[in-house]
Amino acid sequence: MFVSFNLVFRFLLELFLLGSLGVWGYHLGGGTFARFVLTVGLPLAAAIIWGLFISPKARFSLPTPLVVFIEFLLVGAAAYGLIWSGYFITAVIYVVAHIGNRLLLGIFLHKRKEE
């Protein structure tokens, strides 16, 4: 039950990551076209990277430390985008939640494999 809750929470954090990048893209763009391209393009690029390297059914199987590194690069980009857009507290809460969720999943999924 606890692992299922954390997996659902992880999915919500992934959606928040995409939304954060979209907000950053909107604030980053200078004109209407640039805003549209960045608002759609940044989350799309992150989703492609996530699907290729991080997701459970990733196209490329990488060692866990590298997967975690790529994941936290994306989380860092989303947090930076939130801070740049003026949402500092939201960025801090998001990063803490993501790190906590990642640690809990790592601990509980590791225990499951041992059993």
Side-chain angles (χ1 to χ4, degrees):
M1 173 79 174
F2 189 72
V3 174
S4 298
F5 170 77
N6 274 309
L7 289 172
V8 169
F9 189 59
R10 178 176 172 81
F11 177 69
L12 294 175
L13 288 170
E14 292 169 15
L15 292 178
F16 191 84
L17 176 125
L18 297 176
S20 299
L21 291 173
V23 167
W24 184 28
Y26 179 80
H27 286 99
L28 197 59
T32 305
F33 182 72
R35 279 188 172 168
F36 176 77
V37 168
L38 290 171
T39 300
V40 173
L42 288 175
L44 182 61
I48 290 169
I49 292 169
W50 195 280
L52 288 175
F53 302 110
I54 300 171
S55 76
K57 295 182 180 180
R59 189 164 183 83
F60 301 102
S61 180
L62 300 175
T64 303
L66 189 55
V67 170
V68 171
F69 178 73
I70 294 170
E71 179 179 345
F72 281 107
L73 280 179
L74 291 174
V75 169
Y80 176 79
L82 284 171
I83 292 168
W84 194 89
S85 300
Y87 301 105
F88 178 78
I89 301 297
T90 307
V92 171
I93 292 169
Y94 169 65
V95 168
V96 169
H98 198 95
I99 290 171
N101 179 262
R102 182 70 173 160
L103 289 173
L104 287 173
L105 279 176
I107 290 167
F108 287 105
L109 291 178
H110 182 70
K111 282 185 181 180
R112 255 192 188 174
K113 287 180 183 178
E114 289 177 353
E115 293 176 357

